[in-house]
Amino acid sequence: MHISDRAILLATLCRQMYRATAREEVWQVLLEGVCSVAAADVAVLYQLDPDGNQLYRLLSRGVSPPPAQITIPHYLLHDLRLLRRPLQFAPGQQLAPLASALIEAIWVDYPPTSVVVLPFCEQGLVQSLCVCGWSIPITEEHVGILQFLADDAMYAHAKLAHAGHTNYGNGLSPEAMIDLTLLYTHTLDQLLEAALEQLIISGGAAAGAIYLYDDVTHELHLQDVKTHPNAAALATILRQLWQADLGCQCRYLADSLLRSDHEVAYQVSDPSPPQELAALHTFFRTYAIHGVLSIAILVGGWQAGVVQLVPWPGRGFSERQWQWLRLLVRQVGVAIEHSRLFEHLRTELDRAQAVVETTNDGIIMISPQRQIVMVNRRACYFLGLAEHDLKGHSYDDLLLLFGRVFANPARLTFWLSQLLGSETDRAHEEFQVVWPKPRRLLCFSAPVVDRREQYLGRILIFRDVTREREIEQMKNEFVSTVSHELRTPLMNAQGSLQLLLGDAERGKPGLVPNMSAKARELLQIALNNTNRLLRLVNDMLDIAKIERGQLQLQRKPVAPEEICQSAVDNLSSVARQHDIIIDVAIAPNLPLIDVDRDRIVQVVVNLLSNAIKFSASGQRVLLSVSPDQAMVRFSVRDWGPGIARSDQEKLFKKFQQLDQSISRQKGGSGLGLAISRELVELHGGRIWVESEVGQGSTFHFTVPLAKVQRLPISDQPPLVLVGADRHPLVTALQAEGTATSGWEMIVRSPAELLTMLPERQPAVVVLVHPENVDELLLRLRAIPLYQMTPMIVVGDEATGRLPKDMLFLAEPISTEQLIAAVHEQIISPKPLIMVVDDDQNVRLTLTKILQRNNFRVLSVSGGEEALSLAVHIRPHAILLDLRMPEVDGFEVLRRLRANPDTTTIPVVVLTANDLGPDAPTHASALGANGFLEKPVSADRLIAALTSVITRNEEHYE
C-alpha cells in the first residue's frame, strides 16, 4: 500500500475510533485496521480475567475463529500483566516462555509465520491483548502501524472513560481529552498553531516548539514556537530556547531523537552536561527549568517531525504525562500528514486544472451517470458555448447542443452512444463543425479509470485539424496534379524511345537502322531514366490514394502460384539484364488467398526488384510461398549485403533509403517498401524483414486465405481429410472406405492439418482421438478453409465442450459405422446458413443459436461479400439484415434474384422495425421468403429457417 493511501486510511480509522460511543466499536475499528492497513491474516482480541489465568475472546477477524478461551500458566501471569511494548516473534524460533504459551494456546496445529501481541493497559496493568498473525514474515513497519493503532484505541478508550467522568489524576489536565478531530479542519499553518497550543495547555507546559521533517533536504525545520497564555511574563525568556545558539542545541536534541529508536526523550538539567549542550543547561539552571521534553511525531511508523515542550519553572513532567503527551502527539502527527496530503492533493488538482485549461484541445468528461463533470475553455470556444451551458448538464442536453454545432449530429450521436456503452473501447473520428465557425474537429474518446482500474467516466478530446486537413488537401491535389501532368509526357517519351530502340529480345528492330553504338547508349540511358521517373510518379500517386483512403481493393480468391507467375514475368527482362536468376519455390496444395491480385503482384514485384537491385551479378533470388496458420506467407530471399538491425525499422517508412550512394547508383524513390507495407496491411496481413549484415535479407509478408476454396470439378470425388496419428481405425478406413465409397482420402497428423492445407475444399474432416481437442477445433475453425466443413470427432468420451455443429462418435466404433457417418455428412450435410449483418455482436449471437440447432453457419459482415460468396457456396438459406452500409439488404435481395446461380436460395429477412411499414412488402416483392423483426426468439428463428429450407427442397425435387 502506498504511504499516502496508508496515511489517509489511518486518519480515517483514527476518526472512527474518536467518534465511537462504546468500547466494542473501538475494538472493531482496531481489528479492521490491523487486517487492512497492517495486512494481518488473523487478529483476535482477548480480555484477561482479573481474578484468574483465563483469557476470553472478545472479537476476531480472519478465516477461522481462534479459541473462545485460552489458559496461561500461573507462573507467566506476572510477565503478562507487566507487558508494556508489542511482543513480536515467529514460531519455530527460540521463544520466550510467554510467547510459547500464547502460540500453543491459540494455534495448536498450524501457527502463523509471524505473530505480534499488543498489550492494552489500565492503571499500569495489562487488561486485554490483541494477537495478530501473518502467513509471511513482517517488518518493523508493520509493528509501527500496530503500535499506532493500539495508541489510537487506548486514547479513544480513555476519551470514552472521560465522558463517564473518570478521574485521571497525576497532574494531567482534563483538557487533554479535547476532540482532536477538530485539527483536521485547519490548513497546515493553522493546524500547527492549534496543535502546539493544545499540547502546551493539555500537557501543563510553559512553552513549546514544533519541527517538521523535510523529505527533500532530509532536515528538521522549525515551524512554530508558542508559550502558555498565562506565561506572558516569561514569554520572551522561554522563546530564547529556540533562538540563536540555544535554538541550535534544541534542534540538536530533536535530531538526536529522530536518529535514535526512541519516541520520547527528556533532557533534564545536568550540572555536568556534554560540551555541545553546555549553554542549554546553563539556561536551565539560570531560570529553574527542569528540562526539555522531546516527542517524535510518528505517522504509521515513519517520522514526520518533533514536538518539544518545556515545563513551568520549578516543575517537571511525570512519566504519565509523557505517555499521554505521546498519544496526543501521535494524533497530531496523523492530522499533520492528513493536512500535507490535502495540500499536495490540492496542488496536484490545481496543476491538472491549469494543464486542462491551457491545452489547445477541447476536453469534455462524462461521468458513468452521463453527467458532464468537466469542460475546459477550449471546448467552450470550439462549440460556441459557455461553461455553465455544459458543466453539470446531462448527456441528453449535450446532444441537443451538438445538434446545432455539428454538420452531421446523428453520426456523432451514434458514435458516442456506442462508446458510452463500453468501459474499455477507445476510438477517434473526425466531424465537421458548422457553428459558431466552420472547422474540422478530430474527436478522441477513451475511458477514464483510476489506478485501481475503477471506471470514472469517458473523456472526449476535440482537436482542431482544420489547417492540417487544408494543407493535406493542398498537398494531395498538388501531388495528384503534378503526377498526372508528368505522366502523359513521360509515357510519350517512353513510347518514342522504345520505338527508336526496338526490342532485341523479341526480335523487333528499332525505327532507326544501323544506329551507332554511342547513339544507342545515350537513348538507352534516356529510356532508363524515363522508366525510373514513371515508377516514381506511379508510387507517388499510390501513396496519395492510400493517404486519402481512396485506394479500393478489388478482392477475390486468387491462387498464390498465379501471383508468383505474374511477378516473375514482370521482372524477367530486368533479371536478365542484371544476370540474376529468380528461383520459385511454392509449397504444394496451397489454398486460395483473398487479395486484390494486381496489388499483391505489385508488392511481390517491389520486393523482387529490390532483391535484384542489391544482388551481385550471377547470384540468384528466391521467391517462396508457404502456409502460415490461417494465412499464406510470401518470402523473397537474396544473398546481398544484408541490413543492420538498427536500420531495419527505417525500411518501411516513406522516402527512407539506407545508403544514399547505392540508391543513386541503383535508382529508387524510397517509396516501394512503404507502399508495400500499406498494401499488405490493407489486406489484413503484415510485412517484416529478417537480415544479418553480410548474410543477405529475407522479406516476408502474409495475406489471409479466401473463405471460398477450390471446389471439386464434376469428375472429382469428394475429399475426406482425416487427422490422426497411426490409429487402426484409420488404416481400416483407408482400405475399405476409398474402395467402396468413391471418395478421395488424405490422412495427416492433427498438427499438420493447421499447416499443410489441401488444395481444394474438403467435404468432411474426421479427427480420430486428437489431443487437446477443444483447442484444435478452435484453431481449425479459425482457418477459412475449415469454417464451413462438417467435422466428425472420434474419441473415448465427449468432453462436454464440443461445439454443437460437430458430430461426436464414441469408441468402440466399427469401420462400417464410421464410413456410414462420413457418407451421411457428404450426402446430407447439416444445412448451411449464411448470416449477413453488419453488427458483429448480432452475428456472434445468431451463430451460436444456429449451431446449437444443428446448422452450419457462415458469418458475413456486408452485402457485397455476401453476394460474392453466395455464388460459390450456395447456402441452404440466407439470414439477411436490411439496414447495412454501402450495399443494403434490399440491393442484396435484388441482385440475388437477378443472378441465375443464386435465384433459388431462400432468404429470410431479420431486421429492426425501423424501416417503415412498407419494408416487409418491399422485401417480399424483391423475393424474400420470410420476414422477422428483431428481437426474435430462437424457436421462431429456427422454425422460419426450417420452413423455407423444406419448402425450397420440396419445390426443386
Side-chain angles (χ1 to χ4, degrees):
M1 183 181 295
H2 194 271
I3 288 178
S4 298
D5 293 338
R6 186 172 55 198
I8 293 172
L9 185 52
L10 284 172
T12 303
L13 294 170
C14 168
R15 291 178 180 179
Q16 292 176 358
M17 289 186 187
Y18 296 160
R19 294 169 179 170
T21 57
R23 292 180 58 188
E24 290 74 12
E25 292 183 41
V26 176
W27 298 138
Q28 288 174 357
V29 175
L30 170 67
L31 295 189
E32 180 183 342
V34 169
C35 293
S36 59
V37 186
D41 298 306
V42 61
V44 57
L45 190 70
Y46 281 106
Q47 179 76 39
L48 182 61
D49 185 352
D51 300 321
N53 62 339
Q54 306 293 321
L55 278 81
Y56 301 96
R57 188 183 73 212
L58 297 178
L59 292 170
S60 67
R61 294 284 190 277
V63 179
S64 57
Q69 176 182 334
I70 60 174
T71 303
I72 297 296
H74 285 283
Y75 66 88
L76 294 177
L77 276 178
H78 181 266
D79 293 343
L80 178 60
R81 292 189 181 279
L82 294 180
L83 191 62
R84 294 292 181 271
R85 300 179 63 83
L87 185 62
Q88 178 183 359
F89 49 88
Q93 300 177 355
Q94 187 68 32
L95 302 178
L98 178 59
S100 179
L102 285 170
I103 287 181
E104 292 176 359
I106 300 175
W107 294 287
V108 180
D109 298 323
Y110 302 104
T113 301
S114 302
V115 178
V116 173
V117 178
L118 299 172
F120 295 97
C121 303
E122 292 181 14
Q123 298 180 354
L125 295 177
V126 171
Q127 301 298 326
S128 53
L129 297 174
C130 181
V131 185
C132 315
W134 291 262
S135 60
I136 60 173
I138 62 172
T139 64
E140 289 297 328
E141 187 177 1
H142 290 79
V143 180
I145 294 173
L146 292 174
Q147 183 65 66
F148 177 80
L149 290 168
D151 290 344
D152 279 347
M154 289 178 64
Y155 178 80
H157 184 217
K159 184 172 176 288
L160 288 171
H162 174 70
H165 305 289
T166 303
N167 181 17
Y168 288 90
N170 291 331
L172 183 67
S173 170
E175 295 176 6
M177 297 300 109
I178 192 169
D179 190 351
L180 287 176
T181 56
L182 295 174
L183 297 175
Y184 292 92
T185 63
H186 299 291
T187 63
L188 183 59
D189 292 340
Q190 294 172 326
L191 184 148
L192 294 176
E193 182 179 353
L196 183 57
E197 182 176 1
Q198 182 175 324
L199 289 170
I200 291 171
I201 296 173
S202 302
I210 189 166
Y211 298 87
L212 290 185
Y213 186 75
D214 191 323
D215 293 328
V216 178
T217 62
H218 303 291
E219 294 179 349
L220 284 173
H221 294 285
L222 182 64
Q223 301 295 318
D224 196 13
V225 176
K226 295 192 77 66
T227 58
H228 196 282
N230 297 332
L234 299 172
T236 304
I237 296 173
L238 293 174
R239 286 179 178 276
Q240 295 179 25
L241 279 169
W242 293 282
Q243 299 172 358
D245 292 341
L246 291 177
C248 293
Q249 294 184 20
C250 282
R251 177 177 165 177
Y252 173 80
L253 292 177
D255 286 332
S256 301
L257 177 62
L258 290 189
R259 289 194 297 269
S260 69
D261 294 331
H262 302 291
E263 190 175 346
V264 181
Y266 192 15
Q267 182 72 33
V268 298
S269 178
D270 187 353
S272 302
Q275 183 63 35
E276 61 270 16
L277 299 176
L280 182 62
H281 285 267
T282 300
F283 183 88
F284 290 163
R285 292 192 299 273
T286 302
Y287 297 102
I289 294 176
H290 189 260
V292 174
L293 178 65
S294 299
I295 306 173
I297 303 173
L298 301 180
V299 182
W302 67 92
Q303 298 164 330
V306 173
V307 171
Q308 289 184 335
L309 297 172
V310 177
W312 289 85
R315 300 182 188 177
F317 292 119
S318 67
E319 182 176 354
R320 182 160 181 77
Q321 283 178 296
W322 295 7
Q323 297 302 328
W324 278 107
L325 285 169
R326 179 172 66 87
L327 292 178
L328 292 175
V329 169
R330 279 188 173 242
Q331 313 316 315
V332 172
V334 175
I336 290 172
E337 187 63 22
H338 184 275
S339 180
R340 278 179 162 180
L341 291 172
F342 179 78
E343 290 288 341
H344 177 71
L345 178 61
R346 185 164 58 185
T347 301
E348 291 295 323
L349 287 175
D350 290 344
R351 183 181 295 116
Q353 184 65 27
V355 171
V356 168
E357 289 297 339
T358 56
T359 183
N360 207 36
D361 296 333
I363 298 175
I364 296 175
M365 182 174 170
I366 304 173
S367 72
Q369 293 75 35
R370 299 202 172 192
Q371 295 290 319
I372 311 303
V373 295
M374 178 188 293
V375 57
N376 70 343
R377 285 195 294 265
R378 194 65 173 173
C380 295
Y381 170 75
F382 285 155
L383 304 178
L385 302 168
E387 182 178 353
H388 61 78
D389 293 329
L390 293 168
K391 193 170 183 180
H393 287 255
S394 68
Y395 172 68
D396 292 336
D397 294 337
L398 180 66
L399 294 182
L400 291 176
L401 295 171
F402 281 170
R404 67 179 184 182
V405 172
F406 290 92
N408 191 348
R411 174 167 159 262
L412 175 59
T413 301
F414 178 74
W415 182 72
L416 284 179
S417 62
Q418 289 183 312
L419 292 173
L420 287 174
S422 169
E423 296 184 3
T424 57
D425 289 351
R426 296 168 175 263
H428 61 86
E429 193 70 42
E430 277 193 29
F431 300 97
Q432 179 67 43
V433 172
V434 294
W435 187 88
K437 177 183 176 181
R439 67 177 78 244
R440 293 288 294 180
L441 291 182
L442 174 64
C443 181
F444 171 77
S445 178
V448 180
V449 296
D450 61 17
R451 59 185 177 186
R452 297 180 183 87
E453 297 300 320
Q454 296 296 313
Y455 179 67
L456 303 179
R458 179 164 287 277
I459 193 170
L460 306 177
I461 300 177
F462 295 93
R463 174 165 296 175
D464 189 349
V465 293
T466 307
R467 184 59 179 163
E468 288 89 333
R469 296 299 173 262
E470 290 174 352
I471 293 174
E472 287 180 7
Q473 182 66 22
M474 291 168 59
K475 181 202 72 174
N476 292 333
E477 290 177 358
F478 172 77
V479 170
S480 180
T481 301
V482 171
S483 300
H484 279 99
E485 291 300 322
L486 287 173
R487 220 176 194 181
T488 301
L490 284 172
M491 290 185 66
N492 290 334
Q494 181 192 49
S496 300
L497 291 169
Q498 288 174 341
L499 288 172
L500 288 172
L501 288 169
D503 189 346
E505 292 185 1
R506 292 180 171 83
K508 295 182 179 180
L511 296 178
V512 181
N514 304 321
M515 184 185 300
S516 66
K518 185 64 175 177
R520 179 171 291 278
E521 179 184 359
L522 292 174
L523 289 174
Q524 188 63 52
I525 292 173
L527 178 59
N528 291 342
N529 282 278
T530 302
N531 291 335
R532 179 182 174 186
L533 279 173
L534 267 175
R535 287 195 298 271
L536 175 60
V537 168
N538 290 332
D539 287 347
M540 291 178 68
L541 284 173
D542 284 341
I543 284 290
K545 287 181 181 178
I546 292 171
E547 290 181 344
R548 291 198 302 268
Q550 295 179 349
L551 186 66
Q552 300 295 323
L553 298 179
Q554 304 299 320
R555 302 177 73 153
K556 61 181 181 179
V558 181
E561 53 268 26
E562 182 182 342
I563 300 289
C564 295
Q565 187 63 49
S566 296
V568 172
D569 291 345
N570 195 308
L571 290 172
S572 57
S573 61
V574 176
R576 284 194 296 271
Q577 291 174 10
H578 290 79
D579 192 20
I580 301 294
I581 299 173
I582 301 178
D583 292 334
V584 180
I586 302 176
N589 302 328
L590 282 177
L592 303 180
I593 54 178
D594 182 28
V595 296
D596 183 322
R597 178 189 178 281
D598 294 338
R599 292 301 180 180
I600 293 302
V601 169
Q602 180 182 351
V603 173
V604 177
V605 167
N606 278 338
L607 298 181
L608 281 175
S609 62
N610 283 341
I612 293 171
K613 184 192 305 181
F614 293 100
S615 296
S617 179
Q619 287 188 336
R620 63 189 183 92
V621 169
L622 175 63
L623 169 61
S624 59
V625 191
S626 59
D628 186 355
Q629 298 296 330
M631 313 284 278
V632 167
R633 180 193 299 186
F634 288 78
S635 302
V636 176
R637 172 86 162 95
D638 67 64
W639 283 264
I643 305 165
R645 290 184 181 273
S646 59
D647 293 331
Q648 291 178 14
E649 287 298 322
K650 306 175 186 176
L651 284 173
F652 299 101
K653 297 180 180 179
K654 288 182 289 187
F655 302 106
Q656 288 289 330
Q657 293 180 319
L658 303 184
D659 191 328
Q660 296 295 333
S661 60
I662 295 179
S663 298
R664 284 190 292 270
Q665 295 173 12
K666 304 287 187 178
S669 62
L671 290 173
L673 288 177
I675 293 172
S676 297
R677 183 191 65 180
E678 295 289 347
L679 292 175
V680 169
E681 291 179 354
L682 281 174
H683 280 84
R686 69 184 187 98
I687 186 169
W688 72 100
V689 63
E690 296 173 355
S691 181
E692 295 289 342
V693 175
Q695 302 297 318
S697 306
T698 304
F699 284 81
H700 306 274
F701 73 89
T702 57
V703 288
L705 303 184
K707 288 189 176 181
V708 178
Q709 292 300 321
R710 297 177 173 92
L711 298 175
I713 57 179
S714 57
D715 58 346
Q716 280 185 310
L719 175 62
V720 177
L721 192 59
V722 180
D725 291 314
R726 296 185 178 181
H727 193 276
L729 193 61
V730 177
T731 305
L733 187 64
Q734 282 181 298
E736 299 181 27
T738 305
T740 61
S741 301
W743 61 56
E744 179 185 350
M745 184 182 300
I746 297 177
V747 180
R748 289 180 179 149
S749 69
E752 290 174 339
L753 293 180
L754 299 169
T755 55
M756 298 177 62
L757 304 177
E759 64 178 355
R760 60 188 175 96
Q761 186 79 46
V764 64
V765 174
V766 181
L767 303 175
V768 181
H769 288 278
E771 296 182 358
N772 301 320
V773 62
D774 299 319
E775 180 182 355
L776 177 61
L777 289 173
L778 186 65
R779 295 175 66 184
L780 285 173
R781 282 302 195 206
I783 299 175
L785 183 68
Y786 300 126
Q787 283 182 354
M788 300 171 294
T789 305
M791 292 192 179
I792 300 174
V793 179
V794 179
D796 293 327
E797 59 181 10
T799 63
R801 293 180 294 176
L802 292 178
K804 297 294 184 181
D805 60 344
M806 306 288 176
L807 175 62
F808 178 79
L809 301 176
E811 290 271 37
I813 183 175
S814 66
T815 307
E816 291 76 15
Q817 289 174 310
L818 181 56
I819 291 175
V822 173
H823 184 74
E824 176 67 20
Q825 290 295 322
I826 293 174
I827 301 302
S828 301
K830 296 177 181 178
L832 173 63
I833 307 298
M834 179 188 289
V835 176
V836 187
D837 199 302
D838 62 323
D839 190 318
Q840 181 180 358
N841 295 324
V842 172
R843 296 199 305 272
L844 180 61
T845 302
L846 292 174
T847 298
K848 290 182 178 180
I849 292 174
L850 294 172
Q851 287 179 344
R852 288 175 182 173
N853 287 273
N854 293 318
F855 289 100
R856 291 179 296 144
V857 182
L858 175 62
S859 176
V860 180
S861 61
E864 196 67 55
E865 183 182 9
L867 290 167
S868 174
L869 293 176
V871 175
H872 296 85
I873 296 172
R874 298 294 304 280
H876 292 79
I878 296 175
L879 196 57
L880 178 65
D881 183 24
L882 293 180
R883 184 182 287 279
M884 294 185 295
E886 298 179 0
V887 180
D888 64 12
F890 292 119
E891 178 64 14
V892 172
L893 269 171
R894 187 188 65 77
R895 289 163 64 177
L896 282 173
R897 295 306 179 230
N899 189 335
D901 294 328
T902 58
T903 188
T904 60
I905 301 176
V907 177
V908 175
V909 171
L910 177 62
T911 191
N913 187 18
D914 58 354
L915 297 176
D918 297 333
T921 304
H922 188 194
S924 178
L926 289 173
N929 301 87
F931 192 96
L932 300 174
E933 293 181 0
K934 299 176 183 176
V936 63
S937 67
D939 292 341
R940 188 179 177 197
L941 175 65
I942 299 305
L945 288 172
T946 303
S947 174
V948 297
I949 292 173
T950 302
R951 289 202 309 268
N952 191 63
E953 290 175 347
E954 291 174 351
H955 180 75
Y956 290 99
E957 280 183 355

